[in-house]
């Protein structure tokens, strides 16, 4: 049986480790806000606008994350058990939970990541959605978790071990050697990256053809002649673009944000190796925890009579710190760029729909044992297969929500 004992990789103080986790959360919030990065929008655009550009970026994100973390393990920088230690217990609940999550997130108009950075940017609807997610967590804890825990403990449509049992190198080669991790890393990551790039290029070609059909040939030639640049002008344009990005005059592009997020996840992987929860970037569990903390102010202690909350981590947990810093990073980016503004939707029914969608998100993430960030994205980087299950389940949930909105909303 492979080792399941964590050993710190970096021999640093806890203060520095927590400081780096805080920095990672800040970067996550900052980059996501500047790039308007949303997993749900990437998926809805497939069905509504027939655009694969943002979804392609998601596949590139998953591929880069798997490639980076896998190579760190394959070359012995990080022990293998730091990659598989917190792999999930696969089961029916991941598929069902991801469908519920995708449905609720599409109704609410954003994933866990975008809910947080938009809430920090002044969107009142996202405040309501986050509160709905807290209520959904409570509903899950009292109505679903006891049954789900029973199925997990008894292996009913579920694995019972997690960890290396969910680790693709072990599943494929029955080994966690450096070579098995290396081969699996390439097999998982490179197709994701290439497919993502292909989908983006396919979308751009389709848009280019569509645009060319709308204008006559002389106009197209005039447009081409007007916009053709010399190499010197291109350099000036590139310099100006970089300056605009630094001075927050221009939002980040989708692919720039993708690269920053992938590097940020690897930072958490390296910093957290052997210390805490590996490199899990979590944005959902804290919704339930914050609800628990709020009720504590009224002397209501959920952990005394609600089993799921027994496992809630203290407020000093690194993942909670990351979520707080994510919001601070997003607020800083929106405020400094002049984008921060308290925004209340004109159609007040959006607040009610957002609350309902948030509740479903809270139920879905707890049932699936994670969200689009803390399970799907992270699990791709863990070389597990639960992220793949979540991806297809979330796509189905988003599709169903779009159909419901088209017909009834």
């Amino acid at each position: 049986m492979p080792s399941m004992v964590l050993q710190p990789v970096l021999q640093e103080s806890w203060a520095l480790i927590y400081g780096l986790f805080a920095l990672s959360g800040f970067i996550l919030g900052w980059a996501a806000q500047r790039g308007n990065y949303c997993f749900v929008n990437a998926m809805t655009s497939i069905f509504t606008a027939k655009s694969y550009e943002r979804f392609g970026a998601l596949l590139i994100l998953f591929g880069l994350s798997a490639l980076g973390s896998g190579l760190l393990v394959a070359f012995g920088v990080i022990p293998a058990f730091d990659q598989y230690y917190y792999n999930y217990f696969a089961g029916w609940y991941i598929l069902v939970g991801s469908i519920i999550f995708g449905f609720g997130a599409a109704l609410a108009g954003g994933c866990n990541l975008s809910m947080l950075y938009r809430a920090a940017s002044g969107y009142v609807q996202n405040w309501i959605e986050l509160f709905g997610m807290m209520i959904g967590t409570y509903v899950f804890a009292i109505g679903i978790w006891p049954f789900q825990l029973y199925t997990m403990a008894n292996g009913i449509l579920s694995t019972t071990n997690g960890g290396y049992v969910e680790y693709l190198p072990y599943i494929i080669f029955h080994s966690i050697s450096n070579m098995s991790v290396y081969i699996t890393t390439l097999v998982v990551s490179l197709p994701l990256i290439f497919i993502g790039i292909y989908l983006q290029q396919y979308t751009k070609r389709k848009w280019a053809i569509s645009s060319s059909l709308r204008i006559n040939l002389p106009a197209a030639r005039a447009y081409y002649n007007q916009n053709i640049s010399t190499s010197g002008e291109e350099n000036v344009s590139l310099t100006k673009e970089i300056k605009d990005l630094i001075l927050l005059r221009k939002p980040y592009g989708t692919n720039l944000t993708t690269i920053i997020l992938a590097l940020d996840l690897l930072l958490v992987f390296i910093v957290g190796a052997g210390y805490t929860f590996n490199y899990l970037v979590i944005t959902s569990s804290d919704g339930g925890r914050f609800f628990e903390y709020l009720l504590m102010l009224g002397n209501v202690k959920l952990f005394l009579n609600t089993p799921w909350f027994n496992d809630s981590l203290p407020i000093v947990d690194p993942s909670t710190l990351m979520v707080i810093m994510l919001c601070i990073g997003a607020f800083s980016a929106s405020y400094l760029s002049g984008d921060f503004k308290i925004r209340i939707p004109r159609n007040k029914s959006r607040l009610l729909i957002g609350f309902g969608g948030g509740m479903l998100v809270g139920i879905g993430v707890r049932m699936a044992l994670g969200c689009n960030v803390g399970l799907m994205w992270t699990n791709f980087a863990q070389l597990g297969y639960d992220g793949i299950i979540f991806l297809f389940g979330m796509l189905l949930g988003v599709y169903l929500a779009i159909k419901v909105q088209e017909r009834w909303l």
Side-chain angles (χ1 to χ4, degrees):
M1 175 178 175
S3 172
M4 294 289 281
V5 180
L6 289 174
Q7 296 293 332
V9 173
L10 299 178
Q11 302 298 323
E12 306 293 347
S13 67
W14 273 102
L16 178 59
I17 297 298
Y18 269 66
L20 290 173
F21 274 116
L23 174 62
S24 175
F26 185 91
I27 293 172
L28 181 62
W30 179 287
Q33 196 281 333
R34 294 306 300 147
N36 193 26
Y37 211 85
C38 179
F39 288 58
V40 170
N41 288 350
M43 295 182 181
T44 56
S45 63
I46 296 175
F47 306 113
T48 56
K50 306 301 180 183
S51 169
Y52 299 90
E53 183 179 20
R54 287 182 173 267
F55 184 72
L58 279 188
L59 297 185
I60 294 172
L61 175 66
F62 300 153
L64 289 177
S65 301
L67 180 64
S69 61
L71 291 181
L72 285 171
V73 172
F75 288 105
V77 179
I78 305 294
F81 48 75
D82 269 288
Q83 193 172 36
Y84 66 70
Y85 188 86
Y86 278 103
N87 249 321
Y88 295 86
F89 299 88
W92 63 270
Y93 37 83
I94 291 181
L95 179 60
V96 175
S98 62
I99 294 173
I100 295 173
F101 171 84
F103 188 90
L107 287 182
C111 63
N112 277 82
L113 177 60
S114 59
M115 279 185 193
L116 288 169
Y117 77 70
R118 288 173 183 165
S121 300
Y123 288 84
V124 174
Q125 178 176 333
N126 293 107
W127 302 352
I128 303 299
E129 290 165 7
L130 288 171
F131 182 69
M133 192 173 77
M134 295 182 189
I135 302 300
T137 300
Y138 180 73
V139 171
F140 164 82
I142 62 174
I144 301 174
W145 177 238
F147 169 74
Q148 180 174 328
L149 183 61
Y150 175 81
T151 64
M152 293 171 65
N154 292 277
I156 302 174
L157 297 177
S158 166
T159 60
T160 58
N161 293 315
Y164 71 94
V165 175
E166 314 292 339
Y167 195 41
L168 287 177
Y170 186 80
I171 294 172
I172 297 171
F173 298 101
H174 210 67
S175 167
I176 58 169
S177 66
N178 290 352
M179 183 55 66
S180 65
V181 174
Y182 179 75
I183 295 173
T184 306
T185 296
L186 298 183
V187 169
V188 170
S189 64
L190 295 184
L192 288 170
I193 295 171
F194 291 144
I195 293 173
I197 293 173
Y198 170 79
L199 290 176
Q200 289 189 327
Q201 295 302 315
Y202 170 80
T203 301
K204 290 178 181 178
R205 287 196 302 269
K206 186 175 70 170
W207 287 348
I209 294 172
S210 177
S211 298
S212 67
L213 292 176
R214 296 193 192 102
I215 58 178
N216 56 40
L217 186 57
R221 287 174 177 168
Y223 177 84
Y224 175 80
N225 293 330
Q226 181 181 355
N227 288 278
I228 190 170
S229 302
T230 64
S231 59
E233 290 172 339
E234 289 175 352
N235 290 335
V236 172
S237 177
L238 179 61
T239 302
K240 183 179 183 303
E241 183 171 349
I242 293 174
K243 183 178 180 180
D244 287 343
L245 289 172
I246 294 175
L247 297 178
L248 305 182
R249 296 172 182 165
K250 182 178 180 180
Y252 295 170
T254 302
N255 286 342
L256 174 59
T257 308
T258 296
I259 293 171
I260 294 174
L261 295 185
L263 291 174
D264 192 43
L265 181 137
L266 294 179
L267 170 63
V268 181
F269 181 27
I270 295 170
V271 171
Y275 275 101
T276 55
F277 52 94
N278 308 107
Y279 55 102
L280 291 176
V281 181
I282 299 176
T283 60
S284 62
S285 298
D286 305 284
R289 294 183 197 136
F290 287 135
F291 182 62
E292 184 176 8
Y293 302 147
L294 288 173
L295 291 182
M296 281 182 180
L297 297 176
N299 202 32
V300 177
K301 300 177 181 179
L302 291 177
F303 63 87
L304 293 178
N305 54 23
T306 311
W308 184 83
F309 290 98
N310 290 343
D311 295 327
S312 292
L313 298 173
I315 200 166
V316 294
D317 174 70
S319 70
T320 307
L321 175 63
M322 285 188 68
V323 170
I324 294 172
M325 291 305 297
L326 186 160
C327 294
I328 293 175
F331 169 77
S332 301
S334 63
Y335 180 80
L336 294 174
S337 64
D339 185 54
F340 182 84
K341 180 182 178 181
I342 301 298
R343 299 173 174 91
I344 302 175
R346 292 182 180 179
N347 185 353
K348 299 303 185 293
S349 65
R350 288 302 310 168
L351 297 177
L352 182 60
I353 295 173
F355 177 78
M359 281 191 63
L360 291 175
V361 166
I363 293 172
V365 296
R366 295 281 56 85
M367 183 180 293
L369 306 181
C371 65
N372 58 295
V373 174
L375 194 159
M376 182 169 64
W377 174 20
T378 299
N379 193 251
F380 272 102
Q382 286 178 298
L383 298 184
Y385 58 82
D386 297 326
I388 301 172
I389 298 174
F390 195 100
L391 174 61
F392 284 102
M394 184 176 172
L395 278 168
L396 177 57
V398 168
Y399 173 78
L400 293 175
I402 291 173
K403 292 303 178 182
V404 168
Q405 288 175 312
E406 289 176 348
R407 185 163 184 175
W408 286 296
L409 300 179

